[in-house]
Amino acid sequence: MLLSEAKILIIDDDVDVLSAAKLLLKRHAKAVDIEKNPQKLPFLVTNGDYNLILLDMNFTRDVNSGREGFHWLDRILDINPAAKVIMITAYGDIEMAIRAIKSGAIDFVLKPWENDKLLATISTALEGGKDKVVPVAEEKSKDDNKKNNKATSDTIVATSDSMRQVLVTAERVASTDANVIILGENGTGKTQLAKHVHQHSKRADKPFVAVDLGAISETLFESELFGHVKGAFTDAKEDRAGRFEEAKGGTIFLDEIGNLTLPLQAKLLTVIQERKVTRVGSNKPIALDVRLICATNMNIEKMVTDKTFRQDLLYRINTIELELPPLRDRPEDISALADYYLKQYAKKYNRPVNDISNALVKKMQQYNWPGNIRELQHAVERAVILSQEKTLQPDDLFLKSSAGQPATATGFDLEDMEKTMIIKALKRFNGNITDAARELGLSRAALYRRMEKYGL
């Protein structure tokens, strides 16, 4: 599709950014809508049939982590999996760029942007990337099965006895409707295990709805989970189903449940006990038919003792308890996991990397992995993107020492490694900034800033 035929939506909490973007794009696009409040995204995406969405990563509540932006990216893709989204942020780096694309974005733009660069990025996204945008209603009617399959994808790589036992228990309880709580450190794969339970349940062909309770503010909790009716509050311009209703007949997964305050725990307990939900602004209860799975990385039993988590709520949610061991306690899984992610990212980024050296496998098995599987996944992804060889070597994987500094065979600190990677990329592409930036996963502007920083 040509830019001149496109309908574009821009979401950013900065009115100056919205004005500047609209002023630029309205001269080139068929229509440009702007919106400051991300809470209006579900309505806009459902009813707007936009060909492209420019989405800010950081809103007022969450200054520079990108967490809100990724939350809203997930919501957009839940509503319309074919949507084309370009993420925009003032805090660009390789980790955020990689995660944005991995999460389903078409591209990543650093602000303040160069007008020509922004127009080129948008034109490229419209011409390529995902298949043509299909109106949401049509997408849902044609592709429900595909969406459900995507939502319940449950690839779990495990060879250790401890993980096999967890999976045996999970599959045994999956056929029941018993509530499940999954315990484990950050990055151990709690979401994947929840999907695994759903995939092996009688509800596998129904929705799997994941909710990160840590990303929802207390003021939005009821509207987000229970829904609202038109006029319930200032911006409630239409009736909206909450996440519990969206999971009708399927599974709702409440992640980070330990983050809930006591008042919110009480509201959740009422819904679980009565198996009914009442939208904000309504007095009409709606019967629920959902399977509940919760997860936390906190010591929830201690929280009950400390009276920061309700004991009656814990009784309701932990009919079955599954505990995921940290990666450091199952080193025999590391090689298989690394190989799985190697193949996944080599294909995704069209890289020639196809193997991991024995020396690197040994190095990974000796490492403590404080970030667990998520840390391993990101480490392998970065290595695949930056490696210039077909086989990953120890120097390709940058890990942190116990002191918190990168542990590599060369002993470089983080800035030394970044400078070295930039020098290698520039040398490989004979000084071509565009190609080197693409190789590093940076924008040209970001690469220039780093070159200036290191005197290159």
Side-chain angles (χ1 to χ4, degrees), residues 10-15 17-18 35-38 41 54-73 85-93 95-97 99-100 108-113:
I10 310 167
I11 304 287
D12 197 298
D13 67 318
D14 189 329
V15 292
V17 169
L18 291 176
E35 179 52 58
K36 182 179 179 181
N37 183 3
L41 260 173
L54 289 169
L55 174 66
D56 189 22
M57 275 188 174
N58 302 297
F59 293 89
T60 304
R61 177 161 53 88
D62 190 8
V63 177
N64 62 8
S65 72
R67 188 172 187 176
E68 276 193 304
F70 289 115
H71 167 73
W72 289 113
L73 174 63
V85 183
I86 293 176
M87 307 296 285
I88 50 179
T89 183
Y91 301 89
D93 61 20
E95 293 289 352
M96 198 170 285
R99 185 182 166 197
F108 178 97
V109 172
L110 183 67
K111 61 181 179 183
W113 55 72

Side-chain angles (χ1 to χ4, degrees), residues 24 44 70 72 87 102 115 134 139 155 168 172 211 226 231 239 263 297-298 321 335 340-341 364 373 387-389 450:
L24 170 66
L44 292 170
F70 289 115
W72 289 113
M87 307 296 285
K102 179 171 63 177
N115 287 347
V134 181
E139 179 72 25
T155 302
V168 167
R172 184 179 301 138
V211 185
F226 310 148
D239 290 355
N297 64 342
M298 300 181 179
E321 184 177 295
S335 178
Y340 170 77
Y341 289 123
M364 288 190 294
I373 297 173
S387 177
Q388 300 180 31
E389 307 295 336
R450 284 163 171 78

Side-chain angles (χ1 to χ4, degrees), residues 179-219:
N179 293 338
V180 175
I181 186 168
I182 302 173
L183 306 177
E185 297 177 6
N186 283 334
T188 49
K190 295 186 290 294
T191 300
Q192 286 300 102
L193 184 59
K195 291 180 180 179
H196 189 82
V197 171
H198 174 77
Q199 184 74 10
H200 288 80
S201 74
K202 295 176 290 186
R203 299 173 180 265
D205 60 341
K206 300 297 183 181
F208 175 88
V209 176
V211 185
D212 181 359
L213 297 178
I216 301 176
S217 69
E218 189 159 354
T219 55

